[in-house]
Amino acid sequence: MNYFVRKLGFYLVALWAALTLNFLIPRMLPGNPVDILLAKLQQRGGVVTSETRKAYELLLGGDSSEPLLSQYGNYLVNVFRGDLGLSVSYFPAPVSEVIATSLPWTIALVGIATIIAAVLGVALGAFVGWKPGTWVDSLVPSTTLLAAVPYFWLALILVYVFATTMKLFPSQGGYDVVLDPAFSPEFISSTIQYGFLPALTIVLASVGGWLLGMRNMMVSTLSEDYILTAQAKGLSNARILRAYAARNAVLPSVAGFAISLGFVVSGSIITEQVFSYPGIGSKMLTAVTNNDYALMQGLFLFITLAVLGANLIVDLLYGLIDPRTRARS
């Protein structure tokens, strides 16, 4: 029980630190976002007054004339209320609304693709590591080569082959625009068709890393004394592979899987841009391009919460899967 209490306490402190940094970093950057937006307004022929400046400050979530500590308190209150300010890029939409419309697309695409890549890579890695040195083992470099290929280059190749040449899948978008978003068979089928190439890009680029990591851990685990003991006891190879070797070798992959799931929220910016996919990645690029500080803060906050949440869940599961973790704590 002490192990789990300490973990929860650690992540609560980490959450407070993340919120504090998310508040301070935009205020520590050179320049003022209000000045940048007012300069753009003047370039377009707008008239800047003191009332205009005040309105822009409130739009970005605070009044710079307030003491920093007071701004910090208001920021924390607004965050826990779910008020992340208004987005300049999508004005007058609130940041929380902009994120809410994009988050399901990224979770569905990157989340499912990450799970498929992890499961496939770990399973193949366990199989390859069980019999190192075979012809199957010689195929590992070809999968890791895909991990070294830039996302955008791999995505463009898939678009050229499957969308432009073979015309099997659409090249851009998240669904057929003639359909209304709904939980209907037609819409779901359209999202699967449009999301296949982006998901395939992520799987091909990720599976090699999972495979190589699991393969190396399997080779290392097979030299342990408890594996030799299990073989001496006459246990079947299938049982040794499943209950002894793979179970212990997969633990580092579980930790890596937690980090990968956490970064699902950030999406794959380049992949989403190549396919014009309506996810978080495209919103983040828009926020950076338009100096939309409120949207950037909101996105970074969601990414931080996702990473912390995923790692907390895996840390707690780790304590259940591997009792040695609790004993060392």
Side-chain angles (χ1 to χ4, degrees):
M1 181 61 68
N2 290 335
Y3 169 82
F4 298 109
V5 172
R6 282 196 296 270
K7 286 295 180 182
L8 287 173
F10 169 79
Y11 279 99
L12 285 175
V13 173
L15 174 60
W16 169 78
L19 290 172
T20 304
L21 287 174
N22 200 39
F23 167 79
L24 291 176
I25 288 176
R27 288 160 176 80
M28 295 169 61
L29 293 174
N32 189 324
V34 175
D35 292 336
I36 294 174
L37 293 175
L38 290 177
K40 288 185 176 182
L41 179 62
Q42 287 180 317
Q43 290 174 357
R44 296 172 183 174
V47 178
V48 176
T49 63
S50 58
E51 289 79 10
T52 307
R53 171 175 287 278
K54 183 75 171 179
Y56 268 79
E57 288 179 346
L58 294 175
L59 174 66
L60 294 179
D63 186 352
S64 59
S65 62
E66 284 186 302
L68 189 63
L69 189 61
S70 177
Q71 294 182 46
Y72 179 61
N74 292 333
Y75 164 78
L76 291 179
V77 171
N78 290 334
V79 165
F80 286 107
R81 286 171 47 198
D83 182 6
L84 302 176
L86 298 178
S87 170
V88 174
S89 306
Y90 301 93
F91 184 81
V95 169
S96 55
E97 183 179 311
V98 174
I99 296 176
T101 58
S102 305
L103 193 59
W105 292 96
T106 294
I107 291 177
L109 171 65
V110 188
I112 293 174
T114 300
I115 292 173
I116 292 174
V119 172
L120 184 62
V122 167
L124 291 175
F127 176 75
V128 172
W130 179 250
K131 295 183 178 180
T134 62
W135 67 271
V136 181
D137 199 11
S138 62
L139 299 178
V140 173
S142 62
T143 60
T144 54
L145 177 63
L146 293 173
V149 175
Y151 266 39
F152 72 90
W153 191 77
L154 183 59
L156 290 174
I157 290 178
L158 293 179
V159 167
Y160 176 76
V161 174
F162 293 103
T164 305
T165 304
M166 302 178 67
K167 300 186 183 302
L168 295 177
F169 299 98
S171 60
Q172 292 185 329
Y175 61 94
D176 193 339
V177 293
V178 302
L179 299 175
D180 294 324
F183 285 101
S184 62
E186 295 81 6
F187 182 75
I188 294 175
S189 174
S190 177
T191 57
I192 293 174
Q193 186 180 18
Y194 275 77
F196 182 83
L197 287 183
L200 182 62
T201 302
I202 297 172
V203 170
L204 290 178
S206 306
V207 70
W210 294 105
L211 191 157
L212 183 62
M214 184 63 182
R215 183 259 181 202
N216 292 340
M217 283 304 303
M218 278 291 294
V219 172
S220 177
T221 303
L222 290 176
S223 63
E224 297 290 341
D225 292 339
Y226 58 84
I227 299 294
L228 299 177
T229 303
Q231 293 173 338
K233 290 170 64 177
L235 299 179
S236 65
N237 288 336
R239 184 177 178 185
I240 295 173
L241 171 62
R242 183 182 63 255
Y244 293 87
R247 181 178 179 181
N248 288 279
V250 79
L251 291 177
S253 296
V254 172
F257 183 66
I259 298 174
S260 299
L261 279 184
F263 282 106
V264 162
V265 177
S266 65
S268 182
I269 298 177
I270 297 177
T271 302
E272 289 185 2
Q273 283 301 115
V274 171
F275 293 99
S276 298
Y277 197 80
I280 289 293
S282 59
K283 295 296 186 294
M284 186 179 297
L285 186 62
T286 300
V288 173
T289 304
N290 297 325
N291 295 308
D292 192 343
Y293 286 82
L295 183 54
M296 280 190 282
Q297 269 191 295
L299 290 171
F300 293 153
L301 178 61
F302 267 80
I303 294 171
T304 302
L305 292 176
V307 173
L308 289 175
N311 278 275
L312 172 61
I313 292 173
V314 171
D315 264 354
L316 297 179
L317 290 177
Y318 229 93
L320 297 175
I321 296 172
D322 190 357
R324 295 172 297 178
T325 305
R326 298 197 303 271
R328 290 194 296 264
S329 300

